[in-house]
Amino acid sequence: MTRTPVYFVSHGSPSTMYDTTHPAYSKMQDLGREITTSVKPAAVVVFSAHWQAENSNTIEVNVSESEPLLYDFYGFPKHYYMEKLQNRGSREVAQEVLAALSGAGIKTVEVERGLDHGVFVPFKVMFGEGNHIDVPIVQVSLFEDDTNAEAHIKLGRAVEKLREENILIIVSGMALPNLRDMQAARAYGRLMPYAVPFDNALKEAAEQPAGSQRDEAMIDLLRRPDARKAHPTFEHLLPAHVGVGAAGGDPGKQIWTFPETSMSWAQYRWGRLATASAGASCCTFEDEYMSREFAPDDCRHFIFYLFIR
């Protein structure tokens, strides 16, 4: 059996669920259809930027069979807190994750919790009406330390072998998530100066040949002079490091990107699809957005909200 690919998705804010005209919405739908029609996984293991372990040097694994949604955001309309996502957990799959992590020397803790918005927001778009994915979903935390990129690569590597069992690994973060600069980006009238350079740097690192060179390139992203501009905190970047680790020796490819104001919506896949078309290429928007003039309401789909860490 061909092992599953690994996906990185930029999940946006809770309003992503409703912003059907934003380009990222249809791209998430495309990604979901690719997963249900070409990958057809038996289960999904997901890492989200919005779950970091309570204790240092420890990973938490959700073993609950029932996974209610965690509305871990504030200040949104009432209907946001009434959203539902048909899903189920799996203690059996969770035990496989725990065994893989323990085998790699990673300390683990079993917890019972729901799915945070870093999971349910993109999944509602990816696996919405007509494309439901009826397989167990098991969420795994990041480490508490959001500056240790190497540890997150090792975390991904520890679960790589699950891909041999038709278990899909999805990592959910944001290629660029600087909400703090949104107003400044509007005043600036175009992309923030760091947006395209950092987006390009992530692409270059993620697409490096597999091995220590790629790992180092990913770690070096946190050392860039513009790193704290692109990512005021690193928890939205680290899922990409988990993805690179889980990829093992498989090549990475940016599927699509969309730099916008102080954000980027890049998506990545590591590994190949059995039915992938030859000559497929990713789309970039650098040329368009380096010259685009932004109206004040161009960023309407981004609402300021508190990221729960």
Side-chain angles (χ1 to χ4, degrees):
M1 180 184 293
T2 303
R3 66 183 192 166
T4 57
V6 179
Y7 291 93
F8 172 88
V9 58
S10 292
H11 61 245
S13 80
S15 58
T16 302
M17 295 182 287
Y18 304 104
D19 199 353
T20 59
T21 63
H22 190 279
Y25 193 94
S26 62
K27 292 298 182 180
M28 285 186 190
Q29 289 182 315
D30 290 346
L31 204 63
R33 282 190 290 268
E34 176 176 296
I35 289 168
T36 57
T37 61
S38 296
V39 181
K40 300 179 181 178
V44 174
V45 170
V46 59
F47 297 80
S48 159
H50 293 279
W51 186 17
Q52 293 172 263
E54 288 286 330
N55 300 313
S56 61
N57 302 315
T58 302
I59 290 297
E60 298 172 4
V61 179
N62 188 12
V63 299
S64 177
E65 299 276 353
S66 173
E67 299 172 317
L69 303 190
L70 302 178
Y71 305 107
D72 52 343
F73 44 83
Y74 299 98
F76 286 81
K78 183 178 179 180
H79 64 274
Y80 280 60
Y81 305 94
M82 300 174 69
E83 282 290 346
K84 303 297 179 186
L85 176 70
Q86 185 180 343
N87 73 89
R88 56 189 167 93
S90 168
R91 183 170 287 273
E92 180 181 352
V93 175
Q95 291 300 323
E96 290 191 56
V97 175
L98 288 160
L101 295 176
S102 296
I106 296 174
K107 183 179 177 181
T108 59
V109 175
E110 296 184 19
V111 300
E112 293 195 3
R113 75 193 295 272
L115 301 177
D116 60 59
H117 80 270
V119 178
F120 79 77
V121 166
F123 279 25
K124 279 189 70 66
V125 181
M126 293 164 64
F127 308 118
E129 187 175 352
N131 193 45
H132 178 61
I133 185 166
D134 186 21
V135 300
I137 298 170
V138 173
Q139 187 173 357
V140 184
S141 77
L142 303 179
F143 283 108
E144 177 267 343
D145 183 358
D146 73 351
T147 65
N148 193 338
E150 183 177 5
H152 285 85
I153 292 173
K154 291 179 179 178
L155 171 60
R157 200 139 291 151
V159 297
E160 177 191 358
K161 64 182 180 181
L162 299 178
R163 299 169 56 205
E164 306 288 349
E165 302 173 33
N166 200 30
I167 295 175
L168 177 66
I169 296 173
I170 298 177
V171 293
S172 174
M174 198 75 185
L176 269 82
N178 193 331
L179 291 174
R180 300 175 187 177
D181 278 356
M182 287 265 321
Q183 293 288 4
R186 291 177 179 180
Y188 187 64
R190 50 202 297 174
L191 282 166
M192 293 300 286
Y194 54 79
V196 168
F198 195 90
D199 199 45
N200 286 343
L202 175 56
K203 178 181 186 294
E204 183 178 348
E207 293 185 347
Q208 289 274 352
S212 59
Q213 180 180 345
R214 183 167 70 186
D215 292 352
E216 282 301 316
M218 291 295 296
I219 293 169
D220 284 345
L221 290 172
L222 277 67
R223 303 174 182 144
R224 287 175 55 89
D226 59 357
R228 286 293 187 183
K229 279 290 189 180
H231 288 266
T233 55
F234 289 131
E235 75 281 350
H236 277 73
L237 178 61
L238 291 174
H241 293 78
V242 177
V244 163
D250 288 337
K253 183 69 176 176
Q254 184 188 83
I255 304 171
W256 180 76
T257 192
F258 190 80
E260 182 177 38
T261 64
S262 56
M263 309 286 175
S264 170
W265 295 82
Q267 299 174 349
Y268 289 89
R269 183 201 309 114
W270 291 273
R272 295 185 176 89
L273 294 172
T275 57
S277 336
S281 61
C282 65
C283 299
T284 64
F285 291 81
E286 178 177 352
D287 293 340
E288 174 187 352
Y289 275 82
M290 286 301 286
S291 60
R292 176 175 172 180
E293 295 298 324
F294 282 88
D297 63 349
D298 277 351
C299 307
R300 64 193 182 282
H301 57 283
F302 281 117
I303 303 175
F304 283 103
Y305 68 100
L306 178 65
F307 280 98
I308 300 301
R309 298 186 59 195

